[in-house]
Structure formats: structure tokens, C-alpha cells
Amino acid sequence: MTTLLLIFWVSEIVALASYIYSCWPVRTRVSLLIKMMCSSIFAAYGITLSKVISGGSGIADSVILLILWALIFGWIGDLLLGLSHQVKSNQSTIEEKDRNLLTQFKNRGILANALGILAFLTGHVLYCVAFLKALQAFGISLKWYTFLCFALPFILYAILGVKLKLGKHLIPLGVYFVFVSLMFGLSTTLGVGLWNISRPFALCLMLGSCLFSLSDLGLSLETYGGERFKNLGLRVFRQIAYFTGQMLLASTIIFFKAM
């Protein structure tokens, strides 16, 4: 089992390093392919863990299935957002006089971006349902820090909304960050509740959800914050945070199998 874990983690690290190198300063088709390799690794990692590890009760199986679907929707979201970036790159090469073609490319980019965000939103909802089921299974109630953890990402989003002047994107992104915040709050509550039972599980859960939330905040900055946030440091941070977060959340399947 240790060898299997190492293979997946080393593969993810190598693919992620290659992706970061290939997507700066301009995202290309090659970088999109490498990005999808990164996403395929965390999805395959979760599926493999669910198959090769024995055990698990009915509730554990339902929680694991929800996590697997959340990983798959993360894969879909990565593909759609990657295609959106490709459309924008192709759009920049079209001459201004071809207004009809420019409009078509713009609409395709908007649609791909919207569907990508919807896919990630679905993934967050699935994580929320999975963690709620686990909380009920272990008899863990919501605590005061649940609401504090829920508030933190949303407060950061609200600050971004004021600073970046999101306009028509304010409400859709607000809805998205409600579920990001809910996922973070529920996972932290579950992690704290199970800290004395399995600290590795608690760390995977809490750190994974924290990194995922930070990557979403970073993506919002890069997307809506203007040129000052389009820098290598932020992109490196959010890519490392996102893919590491997904791998850590996939790793929780090991512990849910022991439920």
C-alpha cells in the first residue's frame, strides 16, 4: 500500500511541476494536456483507493462514492476552465475586423467558464454532503468553530468583492463561496472531532479542504483582480494548493474505508 501511495504522489508532483512550467506565461494546448494529467491522477488515485482497500460499512461506501464524484467533477471543471483559457488565447489572435468570429469565441469562452465553475460548485456540494453524512455517522455535532470556519472564507470573499468590484459576478461568486465555506467548516468540524481517533485522517481532511479553499480564492484574484494579480507566484501557489488539496481529500478514502 505504501508503494502505491508513493507512486501516485510522486506522479502528481512531477506532473504538477511540468504543468506549472508549461503554463507560464501563456497557457497552451500542451499545458492543458499536462493539467488534465494532474487531474486524472487525483481522480485515478481516489478510484484506486476505493477499489484496493477492503472494508467499509454502508455509510462509508456512500461517503466514498460522494468523494469520488466530487473528484470527477473537479476533473470536469479543470477541463472546462482549461478550454475557456484556450478560447481566450485563440481569440487574441483574431483581427479586430472579424467581429462575428470574435463574438463567437467570446461566447464560447463565457460558456466554458460558466460550466467549469458549475462543475466545481457541484464538487463542493458533494463534499459537503459527504462530510455531513460522516458527521452524522460519528455522532459529531456542529460546534462554534464550525461557524467560524464557515465565516472565514466568505469574509475573505466579501473583502475581495469590495476591493475588486466584481459587478455582475458578485452574486454568482457569492453563491459559490457559500459552498466553499460550508465545505471548509464541515471538514474542519469532522477533522477536529476525529483528531484523537486518527490524526493523519484529520490532517488530510482539514488541510485538504483549507488548500482547496485557498486555491479558489487565488483563482478569483487572478481572474478578477486585474494585471497586478497575474503573476507567477500566485499561479504557482494556487496550483500547488489545488492539486495537493484534491490529493489529500482523496486520501481520506483510506480512513473512511476503516469506518
Side-chain angles (χ1 to χ4, degrees):
M1 176 56 66
T2 302
T3 302
L4 180 65
L5 296 178
L6 283 174
I7 289 172
F8 273 104
W9 275 94
V10 170
S11 298
E12 186 68 86
I13 291 169
V14 172
L16 178 56
S18 301
Y19 171 58
I20 292 172
Y21 177 79
S22 66
C23 74
W24 184 264
V26 179
R27 296 179 177 91
T28 63
R29 290 182 180 179
V30 172
S31 67
L32 175 58
L33 289 174
I34 299 174
K35 177 185 181 182
M36 295 316 300
M37 285 177 57
C38 296
S39 302
S40 297
I41 290 170
F42 70 61
Y45 178 55
I47 293 170
T48 301
L49 290 178
S50 71
K51 298 297 183 183
V52 302
I53 301 175
S54 59
S57 60
I59 184 66
D61 289 338
S62 64
V63 170
I64 290 168
L65 184 60
L66 288 164
I67 291 174
L68 291 177
W69 275 110
L71 294 169
I72 290 170
F73 272 98
W75 187 95
I76 295 171
D78 285 332
L79 176 62
L80 290 168
L81 289 186
L83 291 175
S84 173
H85 292 137
Q86 285 298 299
V87 169
K88 290 179 181 177
S89 297
N90 293 334
Q91 180 182 338
S92 64
T93 63
I94 301 173
E95 294 183 8
E96 183 67 25
K97 61 183 179 181
D98 297 325
R99 293 190 178 276
N100 290 335
L101 192 57
L102 278 169
T103 300
Q104 291 178 23
F105 269 72
K106 182 179 180 180
N107 290 338
R108 290 175 190 172
I110 292 173
L111 178 61
N113 186 71
L115 291 175
I117 293 173
L118 181 61
F120 279 117
L121 175 60
T122 304
H124 282 302
V125 171
L126 291 169
Y127 277 131
C128 288
V129 177
F131 300 150
L132 273 173
K133 281 180 170 287
L135 285 167
Q136 292 173 353
F138 284 104
I140 300 172
S141 59
L142 302 183
K143 309 294 184 181
W144 63 268
Y145 52 80
T146 304
F147 302 98
L148 177 62
C149 291
F150 171 81
L152 283 175
F154 196 75
I155 289 172
L156 289 174
Y157 157 76
I159 294 172
L160 288 180
V162 173
K163 295 289 185 181
L164 303 182
K165 299 179 180 179
L166 297 174
K168 63 181 181 180
H169 300 287
L170 181 65
I171 294 178
L173 277 176
V175 172
Y176 181 84
F177 270 96
V178 164
F179 287 97
V180 172
S181 302
L182 184 59
M183 185 270 290
F184 181 57
L186 293 173
S187 62
T188 302
T189 305
L190 182 59
V192 172
L194 298 178
W195 180 259
N196 291 328
I197 297 175
S198 177
R199 292 185 181 182
F201 168 73
L203 286 172
C204 283
L205 191 59
M206 293 189 291
L207 184 57
S209 63
C210 179
L211 289 174
F212 200 166
S213 302
L214 288 173
S215 72
D216 279 330
L217 287 166
L219 180 59
S220 298
L221 283 172
E222 188 173 339
T223 303
Y224 303 104
E227 291 302 319
R228 59 179 172 158
F229 290 108
K230 288 180 169 45
N231 58 72
L232 180 60
L234 179 59
R235 185 169 299 181
V236 169
F237 168 77
R238 71 175 185 80
Q239 295 298 347
I240 292 175
Y242 169 68
F243 286 106
T244 304
Q246 289 281 46
M247 287 290 286
L248 288 171
L249 290 172
S251 296
T252 62
I253 291 174
I254 299 171
F255 306 98
F256 280 119
K257 276 288 187 178
M259 287 176 64

PDB file of all heavy atoms in Angstrom, residues 78-114:
ATOM      1  N   ASP A  78     -11.731  21.306 -14.317  1.00  0.00           N
ATOM      2  CA  ASP A  78     -10.401  21.623 -14.841  1.00  0.00           C
ATOM      3  C   ASP A  78     -10.401  21.645 -16.369  1.00  0.00           C
ATOM      4  O   ASP A  78      -9.798  22.520 -16.993  1.00  0.00           O
ATOM      5  CB  ASP A  78      -9.374  20.593 -14.349  1.00  0.00           C
ATOM      6  CG  ASP A  78      -9.012  20.804 -12.893  1.00  0.00           C
ATOM      7  OD1 ASP A  78      -9.082  21.951 -12.426  1.00  0.00           O
ATOM      8  OD2 ASP A  78      -8.657  19.826 -12.223  1.00  0.00           O
ATOM      9  N   LEU A  79     -11.080  20.680 -16.964  1.00  0.00           N
ATOM     10  CA  LEU A  79     -11.140  20.614 -18.423  1.00  0.00           C
ATOM     11  C   LEU A  79     -11.858  21.834 -18.997  1.00  0.00           C
ATOM     12  O   LEU A  79     -11.364  22.478 -19.930  1.00  0.00           O
ATOM     13  CB  LEU A  79     -11.858  19.342 -18.857  1.00  0.00           C
ATOM     14  CG  LEU A  79     -12.092  19.180 -20.373  1.00  0.00           C
ATOM     15  CD1 LEU A  79     -10.765  19.135 -21.126  1.00  0.00           C
ATOM     16  CD2 LEU A  79     -12.913  17.931 -20.652  1.00  0.00           C
ATOM     17  N   LEU A  80     -13.008  22.175 -18.424  1.00  0.00           N
ATOM     18  CA  LEU A  80     -13.797  23.281 -18.955  1.00  0.00           C
ATOM     19  C   LEU A  80     -13.100  24.624 -18.774  1.00  0.00           C
ATOM     20  O   LEU A  80     -13.093  25.456 -19.690  1.00  0.00           O
ATOM     21  CB  LEU A  80     -15.175  23.299 -18.283  1.00  0.00           C
ATOM     22  CG  LEU A  80     -16.100  22.138 -18.684  1.00  0.00           C
ATOM     23  CD1 LEU A  80     -17.308  22.076 -17.772  1.00  0.00           C
ATOM     24  CD2 LEU A  80     -16.533  22.279 -20.134  1.00  0.00           C
ATOM     25  N   LEU A  81     -12.494  24.851 -17.602  1.00  0.00           N
ATOM     26  CA  LEU A  81     -11.763  26.107 -17.398  1.00  0.00           C
ATOM     27  C   LEU A  81     -10.529  26.164 -18.301  1.00  0.00           C
ATOM     28  O   LEU A  81     -10.165  27.230 -18.798  1.00  0.00           O
ATOM     29  CB  LEU A  81     -11.360  26.265 -15.936  1.00  0.00           C
ATOM     30  CG  LEU A  81     -12.488  26.548 -14.947  1.00  0.00           C
ATOM     31  CD1 LEU A  81     -11.916  26.827 -13.559  1.00  0.00           C
ATOM     32  CD2 LEU A  81     -13.355  27.713 -15.391  1.00  0.00           C
ATOM     33  N   GLY A  82      -9.895  25.003 -18.506  1.00  0.00           N
ATOM     34  CA  GLY A  82      -8.756  24.958 -19.426  1.00  0.00           C
ATOM     35  C   GLY A  82      -9.169  25.298 -20.844  1.00  0.00           C
ATOM     36  O   GLY A  82      -8.466  26.039 -21.544  1.00  0.00           O
ATOM     37  N   LEU A  83     -10.318  24.783 -21.278  1.00  0.00           N
ATOM     38  CA  LEU A  83     -10.829  25.097 -22.619  1.00  0.00           C
ATOM     39  C   LEU A  83     -11.189  26.575 -22.722  1.00  0.00           C
ATOM     40  O   LEU A  83     -10.985  27.198 -23.768  1.00  0.00           O
ATOM     41  CB  LEU A  83     -12.058  24.237 -22.928  1.00  0.00           C
ATOM     42  CG  LEU A  83     -11.788  22.740 -23.129  1.00  0.00           C
ATOM     43  CD1 LEU A  83     -13.098  21.987 -23.294  1.00  0.00           C
ATOM     44  CD2 LEU A  83     -10.889  22.510 -24.343  1.00  0.00           C
ATOM     45  N   SER A  84     -11.717  27.131 -21.626  1.00  0.00           N
ATOM     46  CA  SER A  84     -12.037  28.560 -21.611  1.00  0.00           C
ATOM     47  C   SER A  84     -10.788  29.398 -21.834  1.00  0.00           C
ATOM     48  O   SER A  84     -10.800  30.373 -22.606  1.00  0.00           O
ATOM     49  CB  SER A  84     -12.691  28.927 -20.277  1.00  0.00           C
ATOM     50  OG  SER A  84     -12.874  30.327 -20.159  1.00  0.00           O
ATOM     51  N   HIS A  85      -9.679  29.021 -21.178  1.00  0.00           N
ATOM     52  CA  HIS A  85      -8.418  29.742 -21.361  1.00  0.00           C
ATOM     53  C   HIS A  85      -7.899  29.586 -22.786  1.00  0.00           C
ATOM     54  O   HIS A  85      -7.329  30.530 -23.358  1.00  0.00           O
ATOM     55  CB  HIS A  85      -7.376  29.236 -20.367  1.00  0.00           C
ATOM     56  CG  HIS A  85      -7.686  29.592 -18.950  1.00  0.00           C
ATOM     57  ND1 HIS A  85      -7.542  28.706 -17.909  1.00  0.00           N
ATOM     58  CD2 HIS A  85      -8.155  30.744 -18.397  1.00  0.00           C
ATOM     59  CE1 HIS A  85      -7.897  29.299 -16.777  1.00  0.00           C
ATOM     60  NE2 HIS A  85      -8.263  30.532 -17.048  1.00  0.00           N
ATOM     61  N   GLN A  86      -8.101  28.406 -23.373  1.00  0.00           N
ATOM     62  CA  GLN A  86      -7.664  28.188 -24.745  1.00  0.00           C
ATOM     63  C   GLN A  86      -8.444  29.070 -25.718  1.00  0.00           C
ATOM     64  O   GLN A  86      -7.879  29.628 -26.649  1.00  0.00           O
ATOM     65  CB  GLN A  86      -7.862  26.715 -25.124  1.00  0.00           C
ATOM     66  CG  GLN A  86      -6.831  25.773 -24.512  1.00  0.00           C
ATOM     67  CD  GLN A  86      -5.428  26.091 -24.976  1.00  0.00           C
ATOM     68  OE1 GLN A  86      -5.125  26.031 -26.170  1.00  0.00           O
ATOM     69  NE2 GLN A  86      -4.563  26.467 -24.040  1.00  0.00           N
ATOM     70  N   VAL A  87      -9.754  29.196 -25.470  1.00  0.00           N
ATOM     71  CA  VAL A  87     -10.579  30.051 -26.319  1.00  0.00           C
ATOM     72  C   VAL A  87     -10.105  31.495 -26.236  1.00  0.00           C
ATOM     73  O   VAL A  87     -10.001  32.197 -27.254  1.00  0.00           O
ATOM     74  CB  VAL A  87     -12.064  29.945 -25.909  1.00  0.00           C
ATOM     75  CG1 VAL A  87     -12.890  31.031 -26.608  1.00  0.00           C
ATOM     76  CG2 VAL A  87     -12.610  28.576 -26.251  1.00  0.00           C
ATOM     77  N   LYS A  88      -9.771  31.961 -25.040  1.00  0.00           N
ATOM     78  CA  LYS A  88      -9.291  33.332 -24.875  1.00  0.00           C
ATOM     79  C   LYS A  88      -7.967  33.542 -25.614  1.00  0.00           C
ATOM     80  O   LYS A  88      -7.743  34.595 -26.216  1.00  0.00           O
ATOM     81  CB  LYS A  88      -9.117  33.650 -23.396  1.00  0.00           C
ATOM     82  CG  LYS A  88     -10.429  33.773 -22.640  1.00  0.00           C
ATOM     83  CD  LYS A  88     -10.184  34.054 -21.173  1.00  0.00           C
ATOM     84  CE  LYS A  88     -11.500  34.152 -20.405  1.00  0.00           C
ATOM     85  NZ  LYS A  88     -11.281  34.364 -18.951  1.00  0.00           N
ATOM     86  N   SER A  89      -7.090  32.541 -25.578  1.00  0.00           N
ATOM     87  CA  SER A  89      -5.804  32.646 -26.277  1.00  0.00           C
ATOM     88  C   SER A  89      -6.017  32.717 -27.782  1.00  0.00           C
ATOM     89  O   SER A  89      -5.382  33.526 -28.478  1.00  0.00           O
ATOM     90  CB  SER A  89      -4.923  31.438 -25.935  1.00  0.00           C
ATOM     91  OG  SER A  89      -4.619  31.414 -24.562  1.00  0.00           O
ATOM     92  N   ASN A  90      -6.919  31.889 -28.303  1.00  0.00           N
ATOM     93  CA  ASN A  90      -7.205  31.906 -29.738  1.00  0.00           C
ATOM     94  C   ASN A  90      -7.886  33.203 -30.144  1.00  0.00           C
ATOM     95  O   ASN A  90      -7.657  33.724 -31.236  1.00  0.00           O
ATOM     96  CB  ASN A  90      -8.092  30.716 -30.106  1.00  0.00           C
ATOM     97  CG  ASN A  90      -7.387  29.387 -29.949  1.00  0.00           C
ATOM     98  OD1 ASN A  90      -6.156  29.318 -30.033  1.00  0.00           O
ATOM     99  ND2 ASN A  90      -8.140  28.324 -29.704  1.00  0.00           N
ATOM    100  N   GLN A  91      -8.722  33.731 -29.237  1.00  0.00           N
ATOM    101  CA  GLN A  91      -9.434  34.972 -29.518  1.00  0.00           C
ATOM    102  C   GLN A  91      -8.471  36.134 -29.722  1.00  0.00           C
ATOM    103  O   GLN A  91      -8.691  37.020 -30.554  1.00  0.00           O
ATOM    104  CB  GLN A  91     -10.389  35.271 -28.370  1.00  0.00           C
ATOM    105  CG  GLN A  91     -11.203  36.541 -28.533  1.00  0.00           C
ATOM    106  CD  GLN A  91     -12.091  36.783 -27.327  1.00  0.00           C
ATOM    107  OE1 GLN A  91     -12.420  35.872 -26.581  1.00  0.00           O
ATOM    108  NE2 GLN A  91     -12.462  38.037 -27.130  1.00  0.00           N
ATOM    109  N   SER A  92      -7.359  36.108 -28.990  1.00  0.00           N
ATOM    110  CA  SER A  92      -6.400  37.212 -29.059  1.00  0.00           C
ATOM    111  C   SER A  92      -5.671  37.268 -30.395  1.00  0.00           C
ATOM    112  O   SER A  92      -5.072  38.280 -30.738  1.00  0.00           O
ATOM    113  CB  SER A  92      -5.376  37.085 -27.923  1.00  0.00           C
ATOM    114  OG  SER A  92      -4.608  35.908 -28.080  1.00  0.00           O
ATOM    115  N   THR A  93      -5.729  36.167 -31.161  1.00  0.00           N
ATOM    116  CA  THR A  93      -5.041  36.133 -32.455  1.00  0.00           C
ATOM    117  C   THR A  93      -5.945  36.557 -33.611  1.00  0.00           C
ATOM    118  O   THR A  93      -5.485  36.662 -34.740  1.00  0.00           O
ATOM    119  CB  THR A  93      -4.511  34.712 -32.735  1.00  0.00           C
ATOM    120  OG1 THR A  93      -5.613  33.799 -32.841  1.00  0.00           O
ATOM    121  CG2 THR A  93      -3.590  34.252 -31.622  1.00  0.00           C
ATOM    122  N   ILE A  94      -7.225  36.789 -33.313  1.00  0.00           N
ATOM    123  CA  ILE A  94      -8.180  37.165 -34.359  1.00  0.00           C
ATOM    124  C   ILE A  94      -8.149  38.676 -34.558  1.00  0.00           C
ATOM    125  O   ILE A  94      -8.126  39.444 -33.598  1.00  0.00           O
ATOM    126  CB  ILE A  94      -9.607  36.717 -33.982  1.00  0.00           C
ATOM    127  CG1 ILE A  94      -9.634  35.196 -33.778  1.00  0.00           C
ATOM    128  CG2 ILE A  94     -10.606  37.121 -35.055  1.00  0.00           C
ATOM    129  CD1 ILE A  94     -10.955  34.698 -33.242  1.00  0.00           C
ATOM    130  N   GLU A  95      -8.156  39.084 -35.796  1.00  0.00           N
ATOM    131  CA  GLU A  95      -8.118  40.511 -36.090  1.00  0.00           C
ATOM    132  C   GLU A  95      -9.424  41.178 -35.676  1.00  0.00           C
ATOM    133  O   GLU A  95     -10.502  40.572 -35.713  1.00  0.00           O
ATOM    134  CB  GLU A  95      -7.877  40.729 -37.583  1.00  0.00           C
ATOM    135  CG  GLU A  95      -6.494  40.251 -38.047  1.00  0.00           C
ATOM    136  CD  GLU A  95      -6.258  40.556 -39.510  1.00  0.00           C
ATOM    137  OE1 GLU A  95      -7.099  41.266 -40.110  1.00  0.00           O
ATOM    138  OE2 GLU A  95      -5.241  40.095 -40.053  1.00  0.00           O
ATOM    139  N   GLU A  96      -9.332  42.428 -35.297  1.00  0.00           N
ATOM    140  CA  GLU A  96     -10.479  43.177 -34.799  1.00  0.00           C
ATOM    141  C   GLU A  96     -11.607  43.252 -35.820  1.00  0.00           C
ATOM    142  O   GLU A  96     -12.783  43.302 -35.462  1.00  0.00           O
ATOM    143  CB  GLU A  96     -10.034  44.591 -34.400  1.00  0.00           C
ATOM    144  CG  GLU A  96     -11.131  45.464 -33.797  1.00  0.00           C
ATOM    145  CD  GLU A  96     -11.601  44.948 -32.453  1.00  0.00           C
ATOM    146  OE1 GLU A  96     -10.822  44.258 -31.770  1.00  0.00           O
ATOM    147  OE2 GLU A  96     -12.774  45.229 -32.100  1.00  0.00           O
ATOM    148  N   LYS A  97     -11.272  43.226 -37.096  1.00  0.00           N
ATOM    149  CA  LYS A  97     -12.306  43.377 -38.133  1.00  0.00           C
ATOM    150  C   LYS A  97     -13.242  42.171 -38.195  1.00  0.00           C
ATOM    151  O   LYS A  97     -14.365  42.286 -38.690  1.00  0.00           O
ATOM    152  CB  LYS A  97     -11.656  43.603 -39.497  1.00  0.00           C
ATOM    153  CG  LYS A  97     -10.772  42.455 -39.958  1.00  0.00           C
ATOM    154  CD  LYS A  97     -10.110  42.779 -41.295  1.00  0.00           C
ATOM    155  CE  LYS A  97      -9.199  41.621 -41.749  1.00  0.00           C
ATOM    156  NZ  LYS A  97      -8.540  41.936 -43.037  1.00  0.00           N
ATOM    157  N   ASP A  98     -12.792  41.026 -37.721  1.00  0.00           N
ATOM    158  CA  ASP A  98     -13.638  39.831 -37.739  1.00  0.00           C
ATOM    159  C   ASP A  98     -14.507  39.792 -36.482  1.00  0.00           C
ATOM    160  O   ASP A  98     -14.364  38.931 -35.616  1.00  0.00           O
ATOM    161  CB  ASP A  98     -12.782  38.567 -37.822  1.00  0.00           C
ATOM    162  CG  ASP A  98     -11.979  38.504 -39.111  1.00  0.00           C
ATOM    163  OD1 ASP A  98     -12.509  38.962 -40.139  1.00  0.00           O
ATOM    164  OD2 ASP A  98     -10.841  38.008 -39.080  1.00  0.00           O
ATOM    165  N   ARG A  99     -15.424  40.741 -36.411  1.00  0.00           N
ATOM    166  CA  ARG A  99     -16.201  40.915 -35.182  1.00  0.00           C
ATOM    167  C   ARG A  99     -17.106  39.712 -34.904  1.00  0.00           C
ATOM    168  O   ARG A  99     -17.313  39.333 -33.736  1.00  0.00           O
ATOM    169  CB  ARG A  99     -17.039  42.191 -35.254  1.00  0.00           C
ATOM    170  CG  ARG A  99     -16.184  43.448 -35.264  1.00  0.00           C
ATOM    171  CD  ARG A  99     -17.026  44.706 -35.095  1.00  0.00           C
ATOM    172  NE  ARG A  99     -16.178  45.893 -35.070  1.00  0.00           N
ATOM    173  CZ  ARG A  99     -15.572  46.346 -33.988  1.00  0.00           C
ATOM    174  NH1 ARG A  99     -15.726  45.714 -32.851  1.00  0.00           N
ATOM    175  NH2 ARG A  99     -14.817  47.428 -34.040  1.00  0.00           N
ATOM    176  N   ASN A 100     -17.691  39.129 -35.944  1.00  0.00           N
ATOM    177  CA  ASN A 100     -18.573  37.976 -35.740  1.00  0.00           C
ATOM    178  C   ASN A 100     -17.808  36.800 -35.130  1.00  0.00           C
ATOM    179  O   ASN A 100     -18.290  36.127 -34.208  1.00  0.00           O
ATOM    180  CB  ASN A 100     -19.201  37.546 -37.071  1.00  0.00           C
ATOM    181  CG  ASN A 100     -20.220  38.547 -37.569  1.00  0.00           C
ATOM    182  OD1 ASN A 100     -20.809  39.297 -36.775  1.00  0.00           O
ATOM    183  ND2 ASN A 100     -20.457  38.570 -38.870  1.00  0.00           N
ATOM    184  N   LEU A 101     -16.600  36.580 -35.651  1.00  0.00           N
ATOM    185  CA  LEU A 101     -15.777  35.492 -35.128  1.00  0.00           C
ATOM    186  C   LEU A 101     -15.339  35.777 -33.703  1.00  0.00           C
ATOM    187  O   LEU A 101     -15.318  34.882 -32.841  1.00  0.00           O
ATOM    188  CB  LEU A 101     -14.553  35.293 -36.033  1.00  0.00           C
ATOM    189  CG  LEU A 101     -13.732  34.015 -35.811  1.00  0.00           C
ATOM    190  CD1 LEU A 101     -14.616  32.781 -35.954  1.00  0.00           C
ATOM    191  CD2 LEU A 101     -12.570  33.947 -36.794  1.00  0.00           C
ATOM    192  N   LEU A 102     -15.023  37.026 -33.437  1.00  0.00           N
ATOM    193  CA  LEU A 102     -14.651  37.420 -32.080  1.00  0.00           C
ATOM    194  C   LEU A 102     -15.789  37.179 -31.097  1.00  0.00           C
ATOM    195  O   LEU A 102     -15.588  36.688 -29.986  1.00  0.00           O
ATOM    196  CB  LEU A 102     -14.252  38.900 -32.057  1.00  0.00           C
ATOM    197  CG  LEU A 102     -12.826  39.244 -32.494  1.00  0.00           C
ATOM    198  CD1 LEU A 102     -12.674  40.749 -32.666  1.00  0.00           C
ATOM    199  CD2 LEU A 102     -11.814  38.727 -31.473  1.00  0.00           C
ATOM    200  N   THR A 103     -17.015  37.513 -31.533  1.00  0.00           N
ATOM    201  CA  THR A 103     -18.188  37.319 -30.689  1.00  0.00           C
ATOM    202  C   THR A 103     -18.412  35.843 -30.403  1.00  0.00           C
ATOM    203  O   THR A 103     -18.722  35.447 -29.270  1.00  0.00           O
ATOM    204  CB  THR A 103     -19.436  37.910 -31.365  1.00  0.00           C
ATOM    205  OG1 THR A 103     -19.237  39.305 -31.589  1.00  0.00           O
ATOM    206  CG2 THR A 103     -20.665  37.706 -30.500  1.00  0.00           C
ATOM    207  N   GLN A 104     -18.235  35.002 -31.436  1.00  0.00           N
ATOM    208  CA  GLN A 104     -18.404  33.567 -31.251  1.00  0.00           C
ATOM    209  C   GLN A 104     -17.399  33.011 -30.246  1.00  0.00           C
ATOM    210  O   GLN A 104     -17.750  32.228 -29.354  1.00  0.00           O
ATOM    211  CB  GLN A 104     -18.240  32.847 -32.590  1.00  0.00           C
ATOM    212  CG  GLN A 104     -19.360  33.116 -33.588  1.00  0.00           C
ATOM    213  CD  GLN A 104     -19.121  32.408 -34.913  1.00  0.00           C
ATOM    214  OE1 GLN A 104     -18.401  31.415 -34.979  1.00  0.00           O
ATOM    215  NE2 GLN A 104     -19.719  32.929 -35.979  1.00  0.00           N
ATOM    216  N   PHE A 105     -16.147  33.423 -30.374  1.00  0.00           N
ATOM    217  CA  PHE A 105     -15.117  32.953 -29.453  1.00  0.00           C
ATOM    218  C   PHE A 105     -15.394  33.433 -28.030  1.00  0.00           C
ATOM    219  O   PHE A 105     -15.204  32.692 -27.065  1.00  0.00           O
ATOM    220  CB  PHE A 105     -13.734  33.430 -29.919  1.00  0.00           C
ATOM    221  CG  PHE A 105     -13.053  32.458 -30.837  1.00  0.00           C
ATOM    222  CD1 PHE A 105     -13.499  32.293 -32.134  1.00  0.00           C
ATOM    223  CD2 PHE A 105     -11.978  31.704 -30.405  1.00  0.00           C
ATOM    224  CE1 PHE A 105     -12.889  31.394 -32.987  1.00  0.00           C
ATOM    225  CE2 PHE A 105     -11.357  30.797 -31.250  1.00  0.00           C
ATOM    226  CZ  PHE A 105     -11.815  30.643 -32.545  1.00  0.00           C
ATOM    227  N   LYS A 106     -15.838  34.679 -27.912  1.00  0.00           N
ATOM    228  CA  LYS A 106     -16.130  35.223 -26.593  1.00  0.00           C
ATOM    229  C   LYS A 106     -17.254  34.440 -25.924  1.00  0.00           C
ATOM    230  O   LYS A 106     -17.165  34.101 -24.740  1.00  0.00           O
ATOM    231  CB  LYS A 106     -16.517  36.702 -26.713  1.00  0.00           C
ATOM    232  CG  LYS A 106     -16.798  37.359 -25.368  1.00  0.00           C
ATOM    233  CD  LYS A 106     -17.141  38.834 -25.545  1.00  0.00           C
ATOM    234  CE  LYS A 106     -17.425  39.486 -24.192  1.00  0.00           C
ATOM    235  NZ  LYS A 106     -17.770  40.928 -24.355  1.00  0.00           N
ATOM    236  N   ASN A 107     -18.308  34.131 -26.687  1.00  0.00           N
ATOM    237  CA  ASN A 107     -19.443  33.386 -26.136  1.00  0.00           C
ATOM    238  C   ASN A 107     -19.032  31.975 -25.720  1.00  0.00           C
ATOM    239  O   ASN A 107     -19.474  31.460 -24.689  1.00  0.00           O
ATOM    240  CB  ASN A 107     -20.578  33.327 -27.155  1.00  0.00           C
ATOM    241  CG  ASN A 107     -21.237  34.687 -27.373  1.00  0.00           C
ATOM    242  OD1 ASN A 107     -21.143  35.566 -26.527  1.00  0.00           O
ATOM    243  ND2 ASN A 107     -21.888  34.860 -28.507  1.00  0.00           N
ATOM    244  N   ARG A 108     -18.178  31.357 -26.536  1.00  0.00           N
ATOM    245  CA  ARG A 108     -17.703  30.011 -26.183  1.00  0.00           C
ATOM    246  C   ARG A 108     -16.883  30.048 -24.892  1.00  0.00           C
ATOM    247  O   ARG A 108     -17.004  29.163 -24.045  1.00  0.00           O
ATOM    248  CB  ARG A 108     -16.850  29.443 -27.323  1.00  0.00           C
ATOM    249  CG  ARG A 108     -17.621  29.096 -28.578  1.00  0.00           C
ATOM    250  CD  ARG A 108     -16.664  28.666 -29.676  1.00  0.00           C
ATOM    251  NE  ARG A 108     -17.334  28.550 -30.958  1.00  0.00           N
ATOM    252  CZ  ARG A 108     -16.698  28.341 -32.121  1.00  0.00           C
ATOM    253  NH1 ARG A 108     -15.384  28.231 -32.130  1.00  0.00           N
ATOM    254  NH2 ARG A 108     -17.387  28.241 -33.238  1.00  0.00           N
ATOM    255  N   GLY A 109     -16.042  31.085 -24.777  1.00  0.00           N
ATOM    256  CA  GLY A 109     -15.225  31.216 -23.569  1.00  0.00           C
ATOM    257  C   GLY A 109     -16.073  31.427 -22.333  1.00  0.00           C
ATOM    258  O   GLY A 109     -15.823  30.829 -21.283  1.00  0.00           O
ATOM    259  N   ILE A 110     -17.107  32.276 -22.453  1.00  0.00           N
ATOM    260  CA  ILE A 110     -18.002  32.543 -21.321  1.00  0.00           C
ATOM    261  C   ILE A 110     -18.738  31.276 -20.922  1.00  0.00           C
ATOM    262  O   ILE A 110     -18.877  30.960 -19.733  1.00  0.00           O
ATOM    263  CB  ILE A 110     -18.992  33.668 -21.682  1.00  0.00           C
ATOM    264  CG1 ILE A 110     -18.254  35.003 -21.828  1.00  0.00           C
ATOM    265  CG2 ILE A 110     -20.093  33.775 -20.634  1.00  0.00           C
ATOM    266  CD1 ILE A 110     -19.121  36.130 -22.353  1.00  0.00           C
ATOM    267  N   LEU A 111     -19.222  30.509 -21.919  1.00  0.00           N
ATOM    268  CA  LEU A 111     -19.960  29.280 -21.633  1.00  0.00           C
ATOM    269  C   LEU A 111     -19.065  28.245 -20.957  1.00  0.00           C
ATOM    270  O   LEU A 111     -19.468  27.628 -19.949  1.00  0.00           O
ATOM    271  CB  LEU A 111     -20.535  28.705 -22.932  1.00  0.00           C
ATOM    272  CG  LEU A 111     -21.308  27.386 -22.788  1.00  0.00           C
ATOM    273  CD1 LEU A 111     -22.515  27.577 -21.876  1.00  0.00           C
ATOM    274  CD2 LEU A 111     -21.749  26.878 -24.165  1.00  0.00           C
ATOM    275  N   ALA A 112     -17.865  28.053 -21.486  1.00  0.00           N
ATOM    276  CA  ALA A 112     -16.938  27.073 -20.898  1.00  0.00           C
ATOM    277  C   ALA A 112     -16.568  27.466 -19.473  1.00  0.00           C
ATOM    278  O   ALA A 112     -16.497  26.616 -18.571  1.00  0.00           O
ATOM    279  CB  ALA A 112     -15.687  26.960 -21.760  1.00  0.00           C
ATOM    280  N   ASN A 113     -16.352  28.762 -19.237  1.00  0.00           N
ATOM    281  CA  ASN A 113     -16.001  29.241 -17.905  1.00  0.00           C
ATOM    282  C   ASN A 113     -17.158  29.021 -16.926  1.00  0.00           C
ATOM    283  O   ASN A 113     -16.947  28.557 -15.796  1.00  0.00           O
ATOM    284  CB  ASN A 113     -15.641  30.722 -17.973  1.00  0.00           C
ATOM    285  CG  ASN A 113     -15.118  31.251 -16.648  1.00  0.00           C
ATOM    286  OD1 ASN A 113     -14.020  30.930 -16.210  1.00  0.00           O
ATOM    287  ND2 ASN A 113     -15.920  32.082 -15.997  1.00  0.00           N
ATOM    288  N   ALA A 114     -18.382  29.336 -17.369  1.00  0.00           N
ATOM    289  CA  ALA A 114     -19.556  29.172 -16.507  1.00  0.00           C
ATOM    290  C   ALA A 114     -19.786  27.705 -16.162  1.00  0.00           C
ATOM    291  O   ALA A 114     -20.066  27.362 -14.998  1.00  0.00           O
ATOM    292  CB  ALA A 114     -20.792  29.756 -17.189  1.00  0.00           C
TER     293      ALA A 114
END
